[in-house]
Amino acid sequence: MIGQYREVLYGLAFGLGASAIDIAMHVHLESHSVQEEVTGPHAWITLAYRGMFIVFGLAVGWLLWKKSQREREFRNLSELLKRLRREVGAPAVLMHANLQLLLTRDDLRPSGEAEKIVRFLYEQSQHIQSAIKGAPEVG
């Protein structure tokens, strides 16, 4: 689960790091201790100010996580489409060719009802092939 939300954790770490840097700068510039900086008279103001660093870091991390999630979903969809083309494309061509053979050869001519069924399957195989050819190429 931590790996799934690592961008948010990176954002949190960024916010905490920015807060720590801000504390270190104030301690160095004002020449007092970290405890005085964190618990001093205006601690609640600086705490709110530093809290904005953390909120900003979390917001950036969440945005990165959403972007990564969309990219993962797109890659999964792309792989699914490639697999569909691979698994359906070749059998559809073979089915189409065999049905066409059934319809065109006189010595294999099926009965009237069977010919209607074969013709229907032949037309459906054409639709499958055109759908596979018409699907956009990805990745």
Side-chain angles (χ1 to χ4, degrees):
M1 184 169 145
I2 290 176
Q4 184 179 2
Y5 298 105
R6 72 175 176 271
E7 293 91 350
V8 176
L9 293 176
Y10 291 155
L12 177 64
F14 173 76
L16 290 172
S19 295
I21 290 171
D22 186 60
I23 290 172
M25 285 177 24
H26 279 261
V27 165
H28 178 71
L29 290 175
E30 296 177 12
S31 300
H32 54 76
S33 70
V34 173
Q35 182 180 359
E36 289 174 333
E37 179 65 29
V38 175
T39 62
H42 299 290
W44 64 274
I45 295 172
T46 58
L47 181 65
Y49 170 70
R50 290 176 185 131
M52 289 190 322
F53 287 141
I54 296 169
V55 170
F56 176 74
L58 283 171
V60 169
W62 181 77
L63 290 171
L64 288 172
W65 174 75
K66 290 298 279 184
K67 180 181 179 283
S68 296
Q69 184 182 28
R70 280 189 220 99
E71 288 175 358
R72 283 189 297 273
E73 289 171 355
F74 180 77
R75 276 195 305 270
N76 290 340
L77 188 60
S78 173
E79 286 302 315
L80 181 66
L81 185 59
K82 285 178 186 177
R83 196 174 90 223
L84 181 69
R85 284 177 188 261
R86 203 172 40 247
E87 293 178 5
V88 174
V93 170
L94 292 174
M95 183 174 71
H96 183 77
N98 287 329
L99 290 168
Q100 187 175 27
L101 183 67
L102 275 174
L103 290 172
T104 57
R105 293 224 4 218
D106 288 332
D107 58 335
L108 296 176
R109 180 83 48 204
S111 68
E113 186 67 27
E115 185 175 350
K116 285 181 185 177
I117 294 171
V118 170
R119 190 166 304 282
F120 173 76
L121 292 172
Y122 176 76
E123 291 168 1
Q124 293 306 309
S125 70
Q126 282 180 321
H127 290 301
I128 292 171
Q129 284 182 326
S130 64
I132 289 173
K133 288 179 184 175
E137 289 289 329
V138 287

